């Protein structure tokens, strides 16, 4: 659901270059859908304020691995008046007259289901790999640097203040006590900036931008690394700055799964990469030694003795 809300925001108000590029194939169908459903158009406009998003879009998940259907059911459980109250809190002032109709909850569920079905679900296999890889990378950093090392990298405004206090943004809102919280989740999403999730007073969460959003910008491996370990192995090592699965590596490099597995086995035996299981997949990423190999290979070698 969080990725679906992020996709809806990109369709409604793209601000970053990658959001404009991602939106382009879906824009015509999205605008046609809004033209047929004026209530949905007014609802989306009201749901995304300048600073806040309507609460029905930011419900904290009830479990660690909810399905989209389960999260959509949580939205559908909110009555029409609650949806209207969420919209008023986001954008103070009178609501558009079309939002006074019965069935507003049904319209909110419709637009979320439409975005999921037409834009997110077709990409979900790739999106889920990227999200899982981000979780593994952040968890590894947490184990070495603690929360103080993790939070600044999640969002520019996020900071661990100590004494059980976390600042998530610089808005003039009063502190939110979590003494009754049963769950605090950190959720990566394909978004430009994060937001807060909650189902007060027991469930809370923080959405943050996943690394490498919808982009593959790994440069070709330098010649020095090519000659040292071979061009295919070098290409794989260069792509392991963040955790990646075997199948994703095969898609990125064009190599077969068997070939990727063989190269990874050699890199593992050499201590250049490490691995960790995440769900049904095993993710691989560079060790400190592997990072030195990948980075130092770009430095021209010192002049040697003439042959």
């Amino acid at each position: 659901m969080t990725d679906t809300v992020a996709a809806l925001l990109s369709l409604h108000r793209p601000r970053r270059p990658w959001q404009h590029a991602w939106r382009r194939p879906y824009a015509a169908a999205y605008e046609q859908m809004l033209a047929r459903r004026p209530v949905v158009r007014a609802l989306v406009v009201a749901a995304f304020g300048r600073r806040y998003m309507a609460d029905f879009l930011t419900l904290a998940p009830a479990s660690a691995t909810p399905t989209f259907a389960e999260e959509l059911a949580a939205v559908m459980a909110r009555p029409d008046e609650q949806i209207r109250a969420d919209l008023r809190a986001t954008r103070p002032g009178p609501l558009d007259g079309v939002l006074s109709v019965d069935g507003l909850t049904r319209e909110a569920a419709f637009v979320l289901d439409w975005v999921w079905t037409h834009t997110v679900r077709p990409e979900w296999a790739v999106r889920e790999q990227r999200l899982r890889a981000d979780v593994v990378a952040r968890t590894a950093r947490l184990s070495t640097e603690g929360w103080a090392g993790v939070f600044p990298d999640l969002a520019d405004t996020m900071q661990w203040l100590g004494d059980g206090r976390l600042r998530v943004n610089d808005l003039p809102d009063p502190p939110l006590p979590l003494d009754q919280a049963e769950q605090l989740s950190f959720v990566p999403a394909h978004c430009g900036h994060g937001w807060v999730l909650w189902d007060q007073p027991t469930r809370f969460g923080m959405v943050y931008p996943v690394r490498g959003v919808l982009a593959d910008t790994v440069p070709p491996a330098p010649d020095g690394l090519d000659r040292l370990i071979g061009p295919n192995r070098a290409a794989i090592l260069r792509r392991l700055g963040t955790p990646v699965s075997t199948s994703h590596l095969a898609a990125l490099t064009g190599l077969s799964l068997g070939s990727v597995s063989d190269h990874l086995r050699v890199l593992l035996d050499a201590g250049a990469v490490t691995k960790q299981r995440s769900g049904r997949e095993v993710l691989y990423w560079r060790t400190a030694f592997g990072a030195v190999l990948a980075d130092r290979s770009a430095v021209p070698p010192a002049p040697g003795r003439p042959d």
Side-chain angles (χ1 to χ4, degrees):
M1 179 60 76
T2 300
D3 244 32
T4 297
V5 172
L8 176 59
L9 183 56
S10 293
L11 288 168
H12 171 66
R13 191 171 61 203
R15 289 181 172 174
R16 299 176 186 251
W18 68 262
Q19 290 175 315
H20 286 277
W22 174 85
R23 181 186 191 275
R24 200 168 295 123
Y26 307 113
Y30 176 68
E31 292 300 332
Q32 290 172 6
M33 180 272 292
L34 293 182
R36 294 192 301 267
R37 303 184 80 105
V39 175
V40 168
R41 183 187 293 277
L43 184 146
V44 171
V45 170
F48 292 112
R50 188 168 65 89
R51 289 183 171 178
Y52 305 103
M53 296 164 59
D55 280 3
F56 69 86
L57 298 177
T58 63
L59 298 176
S63 67
T65 56
T67 65
F68 177 77
E70 289 170 343
E71 293 190 283
L72 189 63
V75 176
M76 295 176 67
R78 296 169 87 84
D80 288 355
E81 277 309 312
Q82 183 61 59
I83 299 291
R84 275 188 277 272
D86 292 346
L87 296 175
R88 291 190 186 97
T90 302
R91 189 182 292 266
L95 295 177
D96 189 310
V98 299
L99 296 176
S100 62
V101 299
D102 292 337
L104 191 60
T105 299
R106 185 172 60 250
E107 296 296 297
F110 169 84
V111 68
L112 290 169
D113 187 59
W114 189 96
V115 174
W116 163 256
T117 301
H118 290 81
T119 73
V120 178
R121 187 168 64 182
E123 306 173 350
W124 185 244
V126 174
R127 283 174 175 253
E128 187 178 26
Q129 284 185 339
R130 190 178 294 112
L131 296 171
R132 287 183 176 276
D134 188 279
V135 170
V136 170
R138 308 277 185 184
T139 303
R141 184 166 184 177
L142 174 64
S143 67
T144 58
E145 301 182 29
W147 288 113
V150 172
F151 287 130
D153 193 40
L154 293 182
D156 294 340
T157 58
M158 192 177 294
Q159 184 180 356
W160 179 249
L161 302 178
D163 297 326
R165 295 177 299 145
L166 170 64
R167 187 182 70 188
V168 299
N169 57 45
D170 55 4
L171 299 177
D173 296 320
L176 187 64
L178 303 185
D179 54 298
Q180 298 182 54
E182 300 172 358
Q183 174 183 308
L184 177 60
S185 305
F186 293 89
V187 185
H190 293 76
C191 58
H193 60 84
W195 58 84
V196 173
L197 303 173
W198 59 37
D199 192 354
Q200 299 192 54
T202 58
R203 294 199 298 270
F204 299 86
M206 181 67 205
V207 177
Y208 64 88
V210 67
R211 287 170 170 160
V213 177
L214 305 179
D216 177 29
T217 58
V218 175
D223 290 342
L225 191 58
D226 276 7
R227 293 195 300 272
L228 179 65
I229 63 175
N232 289 335
R233 206 164 290 155
I236 289 173
L237 186 61
R238 292 286 291 177
R239 293 180 185 277
L240 293 179
T242 56
V244 183
S245 69
T246 307
S247 58
H248 195 189
L249 279 172
L252 291 173
T253 61
L255 301 172
S256 68
L257 277 173
S259 180
V260 169
S261 295
D262 290 342
H263 288 311
L264 286 171
R265 191 175 301 112
V266 173
L267 293 170
L268 276 167
D269 291 343
V273 304
T274 187
K275 66 179 181 178
Q276 180 175 319
R277 177 167 292 280
S278 176
R280 298 182 301 274
E281 296 182 319
V282 177
L283 302 177
Y284 297 82
W285 67 97
R286 289 196 302 255
T287 62
F289 171 59
V292 169
L293 277 179
D295 295 339
R296 290 295 297 274
S297 62
V299 179
R305 186 179 64 184
D307 291 335

